[in-house]
Every structure is written in structure tokens, then in C-alpha cells.
Amino acid sequence: MTALLDHVAGLCAEGAEAAPQAFHGLLERAGAGTDAAAYLHSLARTIRTLAQNSQDDYDELPLSRWEVEVRFPRLSGFGVNWVYDGEYATLQDSLQAAVDSEHPYCGEFLAPLAAEAQSALVLFPGEQAMEDRLSPVVEWATPQALRHLLQAVDDHMQREHTAPS
């Protein structure tokens, strides 16, 4: 996106009139009368700065229920499909059954699930942070449970999907 903004800014600076007149009008309005090229370069710099300095501080502004469900749809659905109905004696049994059930289509299910689990461990470090922010929505999610899930995925992938040497 930033490269495109810089490119269009360069075209504007060269006086290129290839863009539709409506675009020039919108650009002039958005830039509040400033030079179009300078405005687009400024916008590109702002986006780069925000991307480089992004800080998701969930202590100050925790995710709402719907945000957790959107950010972690597989973890949310996992509980409904594998944990809450009590089909398995332990959470670890549920995790293992889920991992084993997806073979041989593991990549489509396990990779995104593992990515969400790892992301949750990073975003909500420690037992208390996870209990306060993720567990109210994903009730089974604890740091230990997510680590067990990641280990089960890793063990399965090594056992079932390692090329023979």
C-alpha cells in the first residue's frame, strides 16, 4: 500500500494527468488543499510508522467477546466441537482426538489452529492475562492447554508427515 501511495505521489509530482479527474478532486479534498504529492508521501510515511510501531496492548484495551471470536475462530470453535460436550475424559484426550481426527487433511485444520494457539500465548502472556481476556470466551484456553495443543500438533506432524530419511 505504501509503495503504491509513493508511486502515485511521484506521478502527481511529475504532473501526470492519467488519473481520473474525480480522483484528483478527492485527493485535493482529502489533503485539505496541500500539495497532492506531499500529502500522499506523508500518508505513506504515517502508514509505515504505524506498521513498524504497532503495539497491541490488551491490558489497556482488552478484546471484547466478539473480537475474541473473530480473532480466534478456530480456538472458539474447538471448544464447541471437542471439549464442552464431555465426550473425552480429559482435555488432553480431547486435544489428541481432535489432532488425530484430521489426518490426512491436517494442514487445513491444524496449521491455522496452531497459529491461533501460538498467537494467544503471545498476546496473553501468563495465566492471569489469559484468564482475564481469553478464557471468558474460550473457556478451555489456558497457557498449559494451548501448549498441550501445540505439542500434540507438533508430535502428530513429526510422526505422520516427516519424510523418510
Side-chain angles (χ1 to χ4, degrees), residues 78 82 88 93-102 109-110 113:
F78 187 87
W82 291 100
Y88 299 95
D93 291 343
S94 295
L95 298 174
Q96 194 60 53
V99 169
D100 293 341
S101 75
E102 294 302 321
F109 175 72
L110 296 180
L113 180 65

Side-chain angles (χ1 to χ4, degrees), residues 8 31 34-36 42 45 50 61 67 72 83 94 98 103 108 124 126-127 135-137 143 149 154 160 164:
V8 173
T34 61
D35 176 64
S42 173
R45 275 192 309 276
L50 289 172
L61 186 61
E67 288 173 310
F72 302 102
V83 179
S94 295
H103 187 73
E108 290 133 25
F124 309 111
E127 194 80 35
S135 298
V137 179
L149 173 63
D154 190 47
E160 300 292 338

Side-chain angles (χ1 to χ4, degrees), residues 9-34:
L11 293 175
C12 288
E14 294 171 3
E17 296 296 325
Q21 191 59 34
F23 172 76
H24 288 288
L26 290 171
L27 185 56
E28 186 175 316
R29 197 167 116 209
T34 61

Side-chain angles (χ1 to χ4, degrees), residues 73-88:
R74 288 165 186 85
L75 291 178
S76 296
F78 187 87
V80 172
N81 293 322
W82 291 100
V83 179
Y84 303 142
D85 66 1
E87 182 178 348
Y88 299 95

Side-chain angles (χ1 to χ4, degrees), residues 54-72:
S54 68
Q55 293 180 349
D56 296 330
D57 194 349
Y58 296 109
D59 289 339
E60 293 179 23
L61 186 61
L63 296 173
S64 67
R65 178 174 208 79
W66 72 266
E67 288 173 310
V68 169
E69 290 172 352
V70 168
R71 179 85 164 85
F72 302 102

